[in-house]
Amino acid sequence: MKIPSFPLRMMLCLTVSIITMQPAQAQKVPTVYSAENTGEAKFKTPVWPKYDDLPIIRELPDPLKGVKKFSKWEKRRNEIAAQIQHYGIGVKPAVDPKQVKARMSGDTLIVDVTVNGETLTLRSTIQYPKGQQPPYALMIGTSGISLPRQLFEGRPIATMVYQESQVNEYSQWRRQHKERGEHPFDRLYPHLKDNGAYSEWAWGLSRLIDGLQQLGTETTRIDMAHIGVTGCSYAGKMALYCGAFDERIALTIAQEPGGGGAAAWRVSHTMKEVEDLDHTDYHWFLESQREQFRGDSVYRLPYDQHELCALVCPRALLLLGNPDYKWLADSAMLVSAKAARKVWEHFGIADRMGYSIMGGHGHCQLPEKQFPEVQAFIDKFLLGKDTDTSHVEIAQDL
């Protein structure tokens, strides 16, 4: 049976009932954690329904299903994360700390991860700020940092670039496109050869954070409570997945992430000439996602991308859009952003989630008119300054 398309105007009107926490309660909600996934040990992965048993869900699924108190969010967050891995990107495997060995060579962090007798080595050079006192906050760029340098200059913020090609040889600069099962990641996890790149890339960035954590602040000069991740375009998706799947990241800035990032699949399906579930790079996702949820079958997908965004909660998330590039499906990202923000609102911490969608500039070239909100999030969540991020809900030129 053909499932009718869900009207975009109805998606834009989507509401989720919320019970807002009182300020005193909100103050108890952590801004970051010291573990990759605090609820992992308590969560038992269920037996997932097969495609034919999945219900048709025309509206965006409710990320707060069954959640009233913040104490219940940990379990719900793990449910959503497990769904995304099972149906969308593949498994991000847990790693025993004993499998990770880290060292510094000058300013370069080197992390060896050994699993099943195979070792994968990650290297990333830390750029330390001049004239500042450690420990430093750290902004990690997935495949690079396209945010303007002046947003970091003169501040105690170190930067480093995560080279995703070290994990699976895929890079925006050098795309080898080897077959699944032939990547460095696959030597460690041959049973996960069907994985999409975003689960593997999130795994790799978490190993760098493992290395920083293992060496400690005295060696790395990095403040582990103030780590951020950012990226643009396909690397904006990467930053979002990395931030969503590692609770040690205090701030995620996903710049122009497009479809498969923050843009809701259900909404992009109603649009033309955009990156939707049928039209994206399937090196990044499970092939089974396309096979099972193509076309109107997208309404059987048990989650949507607003829930990927919500996984960042209670930590900080800023989404940046550019409607001049239709392919990015920023109208669909706006729907996601509004729906996801209700999770932060529910816990009385709406100031930790914002979005800014503005045109009039090149792809991945943040204009000065967007500097204020980006600077406010960096200052507040990486430097601990008392800046106002309560109402960063900007959508222009859509």
Side-chain angles (χ1 to χ4, degrees):
M1 180 179 70
K2 184 177 181 180
I3 306 167
S5 298
F6 198 94
L8 180 59
R9 65 180 180 276
M10 293 179 68
M11 298 297 283
L12 289 168
C13 294
L14 177 141
T15 59
V16 177
S17 61
I18 61 172
I19 303 174
T20 304
M21 294 176 66
Q22 297 301 315
Q25 292 174 289
Q27 290 174 8
K28 298 177 183 178
V29 178
T31 57
V32 72
Y33 297 85
S34 60
E36 180 181 347
N37 182 3
T38 53
E40 180 181 18
K42 307 176 199 173
F43 180 72
K44 294 183 179 179
T45 303
V47 176
W48 296 110
K50 295 181 179 179
Y51 170 78
D52 290 339
D53 296 325
L54 291 170
I56 294 169
I57 307 172
R58 290 187 172 87
E59 296 186 357
L60 293 186
D62 182 5
L64 287 168
K65 182 180 179 180
V67 177
K68 291 185 178 180
K69 297 181 180 180
F70 181 71
S71 60
K72 300 297 183 182
W73 175 241
E74 182 182 88
K75 181 178 183 230
R76 177 62 178 146
R77 180 184 175 278
N78 273 271
E79 289 173 350
I80 296 169
Q83 279 186 329
I84 293 173
Q85 291 174 77
H86 181 76
Y87 293 107
I89 63 172
V91 173
K92 179 191 178 188
V95 174
D96 189 309
K98 296 177 182 178
Q99 296 174 309
V100 178
K101 292 185 178 180
R103 62 191 185 278
M104 295 290 295
S105 176
D107 291 343
T108 298
L109 172 67
I110 303 173
V111 180
D112 294 323
V113 188
T114 302
V115 179
N116 296 321
E118 296 285 344
T119 299
L120 187 152
T121 300
L122 299 168
R123 294 179 175 83
S124 187
T125 299
I126 302 173
Q127 303 290 333
Y128 292 101
K130 296 179 180 179
Q132 304 291 324
Q133 293 297 315
Y136 307 113
L138 175 67
M139 178 60 83
I140 304 173
T142 51
S143 197
I145 298 178
S146 60
L147 294 177
R149 297 299 303 176
Q150 54 263 49
L151 294 173
F152 304 100
E153 290 173 350
R155 292 174 171 81
I157 303 174
T159 60
M160 65 185 287
V161 172
Y162 168 43
Q163 303 290 350
E164 73 278 22
S165 61
Q166 295 177 2
V167 175
N168 60 11
E169 297 176 310
Y170 185 107
S171 167
Q172 60 181 327
W173 314 116
R174 179 174 52 84
R175 300 187 183 185
Q176 295 186 10
H177 292 332
K178 288 190 175 182
E179 297 298 321
R180 295 177 196 260
E182 298 178 352
H183 304 140
F185 175 89
D186 299 317
R187 290 190 289 101
L188 278 62
Y189 302 102
H191 63 293
L192 298 178
K193 63 181 179 61
D194 293 330
N195 265 17
Y198 284 123
S199 61
E200 298 174 359
W201 287 333
W203 174 91
L205 188 131
S206 289
R207 307 294 68 84
L208 288 178
I209 297 177
D210 285 348
L212 293 170
Q213 199 168 41
Q214 184 182 102
L215 293 172
T217 299
E218 187 172 334
T219 297
T220 66
R221 295 179 282 166
I222 297 301
D223 178 356
M224 292 300 298
H226 293 94
I227 294 176
V229 64
T230 187
C232 188
S233 198
Y234 97 86
K237 298 182 192 36
M238 198 191 315
L240 182 55
Y241 281 101
C242 289
F245 283 94
D246 197 315
E247 294 181 288
R248 295 169 295 184
I249 295 172
L251 171 62
T252 300
I253 301 179
Q255 185 180 6
E256 303 180 39
W265 290 127
R266 282 167 172 77
V267 184
S268 60
H269 177 59
T270 69
M271 303 166 68
K272 295 180 179 180
E273 299 176 357
V274 301
E275 184 178 12
D276 61 11
L277 190 145
D278 293 1
H279 304 95
T280 188
D281 188 328
Y282 266 87
H283 289 87
W284 302 339
F285 304 96
L286 291 170
E287 285 285 354
S288 59
Q289 177 185 258
R290 174 165 54 184
E291 294 164 1
Q292 295 178 339
F293 303 109
R294 70 176 70 187
D296 288 341
S297 294
V298 70
Y299 300 114
R300 287 190 184 272
L301 190 66
Y303 68 92
D304 215 316
Q305 298 305 97
H306 67 300
E307 292 178 288
L308 170 67
C309 298
L311 291 185
V312 179
C313 183
R315 297 163 295 119
L317 171 65
L318 177 62
L319 301 174
L320 301 174
N322 184 352
D324 290 355
Y325 293 81
K326 187 176 181 180
W327 178 253
L328 297 175
D330 275 349
S331 294
M333 183 173 81
L334 177 60
V335 174
S336 261
K338 288 184 174 182
R341 196 172 192 271
K342 292 185 180 296
V343 176
W344 279 266
E345 291 174 354
H346 183 72
F347 300 125
I349 52 173
D351 62 320
R352 300 184 193 178
M353 194 279 176
Y355 55 87
S356 176
I357 304 172
M358 296 186 186
H361 59 94
H363 186 41
C364 297
Q365 297 177 21
L366 191 79
E368 288 189 15
K369 62 184 179 181
Q370 279 184 300
F371 281 20
E373 51 267 35
V374 179
Q375 191 69 75
F377 267 75
I378 290 172
D379 284 352
K380 184 166 189 173
F381 299 108
L382 288 190
L383 298 181
K385 294 185 178 181
D386 187 19
T387 55
D388 185 6
T389 56
S390 299
H391 304 288
V392 180
E393 301 172 82
I394 304 167
Q396 299 178 0
D397 308 313
L398 284 172

